[in-house]
Amino acid sequence: MKRSFTGFALALLAVLALVAAGCGKDKKKDNGGGGGGAPSAQTITKNPANANKSITVGSKDFTEQLILGEIYSQAFQAAGYKVKKQLNLGSEVVAFKALKQGAVDAYPEYTGTVLTSFYGVKVTDVPKDANQAYLEAKTKLAGDSITALPQAPFDNTYRIGMLKKTYDKLGIKTTSELKGKSEGLSIAGQPECRQRPDCLLGVEKTYGLKFKKFVATQSRYEALDTGAADLVFVYTTDGPLSTGKYATLEDDKKLFPPYHITFMVKNDVLQKLGPDAPNIVQGIQRGMTEKVMQELNSRVDLDKQKPAKVAGDYLREAGYVK
């Protein structure tokens, strides 16, 4: 599947321009959602003062994490830091253990995951407001001597998706509008989705919906393509969503908790890295909208490009590196 990266780059730069304009209007506001007062969309230059400073960057074991791990690593390298990569560590439990034990100095994690997987917050108790979720995660991580740098714009959470032709046929835009229609529709998701309060169980309870059947599968988009299911639980940054073949419904009752990326760094490491480090992280995150992440993920999952190349293209096309 071939795509025009020039078009993607223009869209990305437009996003960065809008964000920069927004930051200029309100420099005092820092809620963790956009990087506060950090520089906007500036080319990263090598700083000789960073030559003797090192960071080991980790990531979990799926496409988006591998891309993010490469983006952060390459950005730090561009700024003159010595970078070691420990990507593809495994699940969040494995990655967080590696961070706490010092096997890695930093890795990107989702705010909702921080709260539910590491600190025992019930999914139903995670703040629905993204900034509140970030601040709660930041506070809890601080107790483990870990800094949660300001979160990226994109939210990789659940939505109900379907083929675009099904979406047009149903003529609905929100999950609430499935009422009266869901009984004739099958829905697919990963096996654990059936009992998750932020997946099938939660949708049935929050929206009062019943479906014809639930199809347990790891191949969610294949279930749509083959007609095995009419609907499917997707993640909002899934690569296939960039193709235009699929559509998603708005979560109008705000069931699904926020899952924004925060780059977690051990406190002592962040102090040694100096002032460049947080500015680099906040700067490169500014172009990371859901649409951009869908495109980056699609380049690995659909176009079979390497995460390192996709990350490098993102940094170059956005103007962060030359």
Side-chain angles (χ1 to χ4, degrees):
M1 184 179 298
K2 301 296 183 181
R3 293 182 179 84
S4 169
F5 207 78
T6 301
F8 168 62
L10 291 174
L12 175 56
L13 291 173
V15 169
L16 292 170
L18 287 172
V19 173
C23 290
K25 291 177 182 177
D26 188 5
K27 293 182 181 291
K28 294 182 180 180
K29 185 176 181 180
D30 184 4
N31 53 23
S40 61
Q42 293 182 343
T43 301
I44 299 170
T45 57
K46 183 171 290 189
N47 184 350
N50 296 329
N52 294 319
K53 301 173 184 178
S54 63
I55 180 173
T56 301
V57 177
S59 82
K60 294 191 290 187
D61 59 355
F62 54 90
T63 295
E64 184 166 280
Q65 280 277 310
L66 296 173
I67 294 170
L68 290 171
E70 285 286 354
I71 288 175
Y72 292 116
S73 296
Q74 292 181 34
F76 278 113
Q77 287 173 331
Y81 291 97
K82 294 180 180 178
V83 178
K84 294 182 180 178
K85 292 184 284 189
Q86 292 287 341
L87 309 184
N88 204 18
L89 289 168
S91 70
E92 65 265 22
V93 175
V94 175
F96 192 57
K97 183 178 180 180
L99 178 64
K100 292 180 71 174
Q101 293 183 346
V104 298
D105 298 320
Y107 88 92
E109 188 54 273
Y110 304 91
T111 52
T113 301
V114 169
L115 295 174
T116 58
S117 294
F118 306 153
Y119 298 105
V121 177
K122 293 181 179 179
V123 169
T124 51
D125 291 337
V126 174
K128 303 304 182 185
D129 179 80
N131 293 322
Q132 290 181 13
Y134 163 73
L135 291 173
E136 186 172 326
K138 180 180 179 181
T139 299
K140 291 185 180 297
L141 286 166
D144 281 320
S145 300
I146 296 169
T147 297
L149 292 176
Q151 62 189 348
F154 76 91
D155 185 12
N156 186 0
T157 190
Y158 283 112
R159 288 289 184 272
I160 291 179
M162 65 200 76
L163 291 170
K164 181 64 165 55
K165 62 181 182 181
T166 304
Y167 179 84
D168 293 337
K169 182 179 179 180
L170 290 174
I172 60 177
K173 295 183 178 180
T174 68
T175 304
S176 289
E177 291 176 301
L178 279 173
K179 191 79 171 179
K181 297 181 174 66
S182 60
E183 293 85 353
L185 301 170
S186 56
I187 189 166
Q190 295 171 322
E192 64 271 20
C193 176
R194 189 193 300 270
Q195 298 301 324
R196 287 182 64 104
D198 59 345
C199 207
L200 180 65
L201 191 65
V203 165
E204 290 180 332
K205 182 178 180 179
T206 301
Y207 288 96
L209 302 176
K210 290 295 180 182
F211 298 93
K212 183 170 65 175
K213 67 176 179 178
F214 175 76
V215 179
T217 179
Q218 297 289 354
S219 303
R220 295 164 296 129
Y221 289 92
E222 183 179 338
L224 292 179
D225 294 342
T226 61
D230 303 301
L231 311 173
V232 67
F233 285 95
V234 303
Y235 296 110
T236 48
T237 59
D238 283 347
L241 294 178
S242 70
T243 64
K245 184 179 180 180
Y246 309 97
T248 61
L249 295 177
E250 179 188 345
D251 176 27
D252 52 305
K253 292 190 176 181
K254 307 300 180 185
L255 164 66
F256 304 122
Y259 288 90
H260 288 257
I261 275 292
T262 174
F263 192 66
M264 306 187 306
V265 191
K266 292 180 70 69
N267 288 355
D268 57 340
V269 173
L270 186 60
Q271 185 175 6
K272 292 176 183 178
L273 292 176
D276 283 356
N279 285 343
I280 290 168
V281 170
Q282 294 173 64
I284 61 175
Q285 287 180 167
R286 287 200 164 150
M288 294 180 183
T289 64
E290 288 176 19
K291 290 292 186 184
V292 167
M293 293 310 301
Q294 288 171 10
E295 173 65 22
L296 298 183
N297 287 330
S298 75
R299 291 183 174 276
V300 174
D301 290 337
L302 303 183
D303 298 347
K304 307 305 179 184
Q305 296 182 20
K306 298 294 185 182
K309 180 184 185 305
V310 172
D313 286 342
Y314 168 80
L315 291 170
R316 283 188 295 274
E317 293 295 329
Y320 292 119
V321 300
K322 293 182 180 179

